[in-house]
Amino acid sequence: MRWSRSSDEEVEANIASIQHEQAIYRRLGRYNGIVPCLCFSDTSTELRIMENGDLQSYLYRNKPPKSLQLSWFRTMARTLAYIHAQKVIVADIASRNFVLDSDLSIKMCDFTEAIDMPLDTCMENAGFGGYSVQTDIGQLGAVMYEVVVGEKCEFDIFEGVPVEASRGVWPRREELPSTEGLWVGLIIERCWTEGAFCTAYDLRRALEAVEVDDEPVYTKA
Protein backbone atom coordinates (compact mmCIF):
# COMPACT_ATOMS: atom_id res chain seq x y z
CA MET A 1 0.00 0.00 0.00
CA ARG A 2 1.31 3.44 -0.90
CA TRP A 3 1.80 5.62 2.19
CA SER A 4 0.14 9.04 2.13
CA ARG A 5 0.05 11.96 4.49
CA SER A 6 -2.87 12.46 6.81
CA SER A 7 -4.91 15.63 6.37
CA ASP A 8 -3.30 17.10 9.50
CA GLU A 9 0.17 16.44 8.12
CA GLU A 10 -0.77 18.06 4.81
CA VAL A 11 -2.05 21.16 6.61
CA GLU A 12 1.15 21.39 8.65
CA ALA A 13 3.27 20.99 5.51
CA ASN A 14 1.28 23.70 3.71
CA ILE A 15 1.64 26.11 6.63
CA ALA A 16 5.37 25.40 6.81
CA SER A 17 5.67 26.14 3.06
CA ILE A 18 3.77 29.42 3.44
CA GLN A 19 5.91 30.51 6.37
CA HIS A 20 9.09 29.58 4.53
CA GLU A 21 8.03 31.74 1.57
CA GLN A 22 7.16 34.60 3.92
CA ALA A 23 10.66 34.43 5.37
CA ILE A 24 12.05 34.74 1.82
CA TYR A 25 9.83 37.75 1.11
CA ARG A 26 10.97 39.40 4.33
CA ARG A 27 14.61 38.90 3.41
CA LEU A 28 14.08 40.26 -0.11
CA GLY A 29 12.11 43.28 1.07
CA ARG A 30 10.60 45.74 -1.40
CA TYR A 31 12.02 45.61 -4.90
CA ASN A 32 10.55 46.81 -8.16
CA GLY A 33 10.96 43.44 -9.91
CA ILE A 34 9.20 41.45 -7.18
CA VAL A 35 5.44 41.42 -6.56
CA PRO A 36 4.75 43.50 -3.42
CA CYS A 37 3.43 41.70 -0.34
CA LEU A 38 0.47 43.48 1.24
CA CYS A 39 0.25 41.45 4.44
CA PHE A 40 1.15 38.15 6.08
CA SER A 41 -0.79 35.90 8.40
CA ASP A 42 0.15 32.54 9.90
CA THR A 43 -1.62 30.72 7.07
CA SER A 44 -1.62 33.08 4.07
CA THR A 45 0.29 35.70 2.11
CA GLU A 46 -1.54 38.52 0.34
CA LEU A 47 0.16 39.88 -2.78
CA ARG A 48 -0.79 42.87 -4.89
CA ILE A 49 -2.96 41.93 -7.86
CA MET A 50 -1.21 42.00 -11.23
CA GLU A 51 -3.83 42.97 -13.81
CA ASN A 52 -2.39 41.03 -16.75
CA GLY A 53 -1.88 37.74 -14.96
CA ASP A 54 1.01 35.34 -15.30
CA LEU A 55 3.49 35.38 -18.15
CA GLN A 56 2.75 31.80 -19.24
CA SER A 57 -0.93 32.58 -19.82
CA TYR A 58 -0.12 35.90 -21.49
CA LEU A 59 2.18 34.20 -23.99
CA TYR A 60 -0.57 31.74 -24.88
CA ARG A 61 -2.82 34.64 -25.94
CA ASN A 62 -0.36 37.27 -27.21
CA LYS A 63 2.68 37.82 -29.42
CA PRO A 64 4.95 40.33 -27.65
CA PRO A 65 7.28 42.40 -29.85
CA LYS A 66 11.02 42.26 -29.34
CA SER A 67 11.14 45.58 -27.52
CA LEU A 68 8.74 44.28 -24.85
CA GLN A 69 10.55 40.96 -24.62
CA LEU A 70 13.89 42.69 -24.15
CA SER A 71 12.42 44.93 -21.45
CA TRP A 72 11.19 41.82 -19.64
CA PHE A 73 14.52 40.01 -19.99
CA ARG A 74 16.46 42.95 -18.59
CA THR A 75 14.08 43.25 -15.64
CA MET A 76 14.28 39.50 -15.01
CA ALA A 77 18.08 39.52 -14.98
CA ARG A 78 18.27 42.65 -12.82
CA THR A 79 15.79 41.15 -10.34
CA LEU A 80 17.61 37.83 -10.22
CA ALA A 81 20.89 39.64 -9.53
CA TYR A 82 19.19 41.48 -6.65
CA ILE A 83 17.78 38.24 -5.24
CA HIS A 84 21.19 36.57 -5.34
CA ALA A 85 22.68 39.61 -3.60
CA GLN A 86 20.23 38.91 -0.76
CA LYS A 87 21.72 35.39 -0.55
CA VAL A 88 18.71 33.58 -1.99
CA ILE A 89 18.63 30.87 -4.67
CA VAL A 90 15.20 30.87 -6.35
CA ALA A 91 15.38 27.21 -7.56
CA ASP A 92 12.03 27.42 -9.40
CA ILE A 93 12.13 30.01 -12.17
CA ALA A 94 9.39 29.49 -14.76
CA SER A 95 7.03 31.59 -16.85
CA ARG A 96 4.17 30.80 -14.46
CA ASN A 97 6.16 32.54 -11.70
CA PHE A 98 6.36 35.88 -13.50
CA VAL A 99 3.34 38.19 -13.56
CA LEU A 100 2.46 41.28 -15.56
CA ASP A 101 1.15 44.56 -14.19
CA SER A 102 -1.34 46.85 -15.93
CA ASP A 103 1.46 48.46 -17.98
CA LEU A 104 2.93 45.02 -18.85
CA SER A 105 5.90 45.53 -16.56
CA ILE A 106 7.05 42.16 -15.25
CA LYS A 107 7.58 40.98 -11.68
CA MET A 108 8.65 37.75 -10.04
CA CYS A 109 6.59 35.84 -7.50
CA ASP A 110 6.37 32.40 -5.85
CA PHE A 111 9.36 31.64 -3.67
CA THR A 112 8.06 28.43 -2.11
CA GLU A 113 11.06 26.48 -3.41
CA ALA A 114 13.62 29.22 -2.76
CA ILE A 115 16.68 28.53 -0.63
CA ASP A 116 17.84 31.18 1.83
CA MET A 117 21.56 30.84 2.31
CA PRO A 118 23.56 32.23 5.26
CA LEU A 119 24.11 35.97 4.88
CA ASP A 120 27.90 35.55 4.67
CA THR A 121 27.63 33.11 1.73
CA CYS A 122 29.75 33.59 -1.40
CA MET A 123 26.94 33.03 -3.85
CA GLU A 124 29.12 32.24 -6.87
CA ASN A 125 30.24 29.05 -5.11
CA ALA A 126 27.06 28.29 -3.15
CA GLY A 127 24.62 25.50 -3.83
CA PHE A 128 22.07 23.20 -2.25
CA GLY A 129 20.74 19.94 -3.68
CA GLY A 130 22.17 20.81 -7.08
CA TYR A 131 20.55 24.27 -7.18
CA SER A 132 22.79 27.32 -7.45
CA VAL A 133 23.19 30.75 -9.02
CA GLN A 134 24.07 28.87 -12.20
CA THR A 135 20.89 26.77 -12.26
CA ASP A 136 18.82 29.92 -11.63
CA ILE A 137 20.45 31.45 -14.72
CA GLY A 138 19.81 28.24 -16.66
CA GLN A 139 16.13 28.29 -15.72
CA LEU A 140 15.87 31.94 -16.67
CA GLY A 141 17.31 31.03 -20.06
CA ALA A 142 14.45 28.56 -20.47
CA VAL A 143 11.93 31.33 -19.72
CA MET A 144 13.62 33.56 -22.28
CA TYR A 145 13.40 30.75 -24.84
CA GLU A 146 9.68 30.34 -24.14
CA VAL A 147 9.09 34.06 -24.62
CA VAL A 148 11.05 34.21 -27.90
CA VAL A 149 9.78 30.99 -29.48
CA GLY A 150 6.34 30.71 -27.91
CA GLU A 151 6.91 27.12 -26.78
CA LYS A 152 7.47 25.90 -23.23
CA CYS A 153 10.99 24.80 -22.34
CA GLU A 154 12.15 22.93 -19.24
CA PHE A 155 15.57 23.33 -17.63
CA ASP A 156 15.16 20.45 -15.18
CA ILE A 157 18.14 19.39 -13.07
CA PHE A 158 16.28 16.24 -12.00
CA GLU A 159 15.45 15.06 -15.52
CA GLY A 160 16.67 11.46 -15.80
CA VAL A 161 18.01 11.49 -12.24
CA PRO A 162 16.99 8.46 -10.11
CA VAL A 163 13.96 9.14 -7.90
CA GLU A 164 15.94 8.38 -4.76
CA ALA A 165 18.64 10.94 -5.63
CA SER A 166 18.80 13.97 -3.34
CA ARG A 167 20.82 16.13 -5.71
CA GLY A 168 20.13 17.30 -9.25
CA VAL A 169 22.66 17.61 -12.07
CA TRP A 170 23.19 20.09 -14.88
CA PRO A 171 20.95 19.06 -17.83
CA ARG A 172 22.64 17.52 -20.84
CA ARG A 173 22.64 19.86 -23.83
CA GLU A 174 20.63 17.42 -25.95
CA GLU A 175 17.77 17.66 -23.43
CA LEU A 176 17.35 21.35 -24.34
CA PRO A 177 16.12 22.77 -27.67
CA SER A 178 18.31 24.34 -30.32
CA THR A 179 18.93 28.08 -30.13
CA GLU A 180 20.45 28.33 -33.60
CA GLY A 181 19.15 31.35 -35.50
CA LEU A 182 17.06 32.65 -32.60
CA TRP A 183 17.00 36.29 -31.60
CA VAL A 184 19.07 36.46 -28.35
CA GLY A 185 19.81 32.79 -29.03
CA LEU A 186 23.49 33.23 -28.19
CA ILE A 187 22.56 34.67 -24.80
CA ILE A 188 20.13 31.83 -24.10
CA GLU A 189 22.83 29.35 -25.12
CA ARG A 190 25.22 30.92 -22.63
CA CYS A 191 22.55 30.63 -19.91
CA TRP A 192 22.52 26.88 -20.62
CA THR A 193 26.32 26.59 -20.56
CA GLU A 194 27.41 26.20 -16.96
CA GLY A 195 29.76 29.03 -15.99
CA ALA A 196 29.32 31.06 -19.19
CA PHE A 197 27.60 33.72 -17.09
CA CYS A 198 29.24 33.77 -13.67
CA THR A 199 26.46 35.88 -12.21
CA ALA A 200 23.08 37.33 -13.13
CA TYR A 201 24.84 40.71 -13.32
CA ASP A 202 26.85 39.32 -16.23
CA LEU A 203 23.63 38.21 -17.93
CA ARG A 204 22.15 41.64 -17.35
CA ARG A 205 25.15 43.31 -18.97
CA ALA A 206 24.85 41.07 -22.03
CA LEU A 207 21.17 41.97 -22.36
CA GLU A 208 21.89 45.67 -22.00
CA ALA A 209 24.06 45.40 -25.12
CA VAL A 210 21.24 43.95 -27.24
CA GLU A 211 19.62 46.20 -29.84
CA VAL A 212 16.12 45.64 -31.17
CA ASP A 213 14.23 46.58 -34.30
CA ASP A 214 10.82 45.88 -32.68
CA GLU A 215 9.78 43.26 -35.21
CA PRO A 216 7.53 40.45 -33.92
CA VAL A 217 9.68 37.46 -33.07
CA TYR A 218 7.23 34.66 -33.84
CA THR A 219 3.72 34.08 -35.07
CA LYS A 220 1.00 31.77 -33.86
CA ALA A 221 -1.59 29.97 -35.93
Side-chain angles (χ1 to χ4, degrees):
M1 180 182 294
R2 185 181 294 274
W3 181 86
S4 61
R5 286 177 171 174
S6 69
S7 58
D8 286 345
E9 288 172 328
E10 289 177 350
V11 169
E12 290 176 1
N14 288 338
I15 291 174
S17 177
I18 290 168
Q19 293 179 346
H20 168 73
E21 185 179 35
Q22 289 176 353
I24 298 293
Y25 274 116
R26 289 189 179 97
R27 178 178 289 194
L28 296 178
R30 291 274 181 168
Y31 187 76
N32 188 51
I34 298 172
V35 179
C37 290
L38 301 181
C39 66
F40 296 138
S41 74
D42 290 341
T43 57
S44 66
T45 303
E46 184 179 352
L47 303 178
R48 185 162 69 81
I49 292 174
M50 298 285 109
E51 285 83 348
N52 279 295
D54 68 272
L55 177 61
Q56 185 177 64
S57 299
Y58 184 88
L59 292 174
Y60 183 78
R61 303 186 306 268
N62 299 278
K63 298 178 291 188
K66 287 182 182 179
S67 58
L68 181 56
Q69 294 182 40
L70 186 57
S71 173
W72 289 344
F73 298 159
R74 289 170 174 171
T75 298
M76 291 172 179
R78 183 174 63 249
T79 301
L80 185 59
Y82 169 80
I83 291 170
H84 289 162
Q86 309 313 307
K87 314 301 183 182
V88 172
I89 298 170
V90 182
D92 183 21
I93 298 176
S95 57
R96 68 182 183 279
N97 296 335
F98 288 97
V99 290
L100 299 168
D101 211 341
S102 57
D103 61 356
L104 293 181
S105 60
I106 199 162
K107 299 182 187 298
M108 190 181 290
C109 66
D110 192 348
F111 296 99
T112 53
E113 303 297 324
I115 303 160
D116 49 342
M117 307 297 290
L119 292 175
D120 60 353
T121 298
C122 174
M123 291 298 286
E124 290 184 32
N125 302 318
F128 183 86
Y131 292 106
S132 65
V133 164
Q134 291 292 306
T135 60
D136 275 359
I137 292 171
Q139 290 180 353
L140 187 53
V143 174
M144 291 170 61
Y145 178 92
E146 184 176 348
V147 172
V148 171
V149 178
E151 297 177 1
K152 188 172 175 56
C153 173
E154 294 282 353
F155 184 95
D156 185 357
I157 69 170
F158 284 96
E159 179 69 28
V161 175
V163 175
E164 64 274 13
S166 60
R167 182 180 181 84
V169 298
W170 194 268
R172 293 177 298 176
R173 183 61 189 84
E174 57 267 29
E175 295 172 350
L176 298 164
S178 172
T179 59
E180 186 175 356
L182 291 183
W183 181 65
V184 301
L186 292 177
I187 291 178
I188 295 171
E189 191 68 34
R190 291 181 67 189
C191 289
W192 293 343
T193 303
E194 189 172 11
F197 289 121
C198 293
T199 69
Y201 285 110
D202 296 331
L203 172 57
R204 176 188 172 183
R205 282 193 290 269
L207 289 165
E208 292 293 341
V210 173
E211 297 182 354
V212 62
D213 58 13
D214 210 15
E215 292 290 327
V217 179
Y218 63 90
T219 59
K220 292 191 176 182

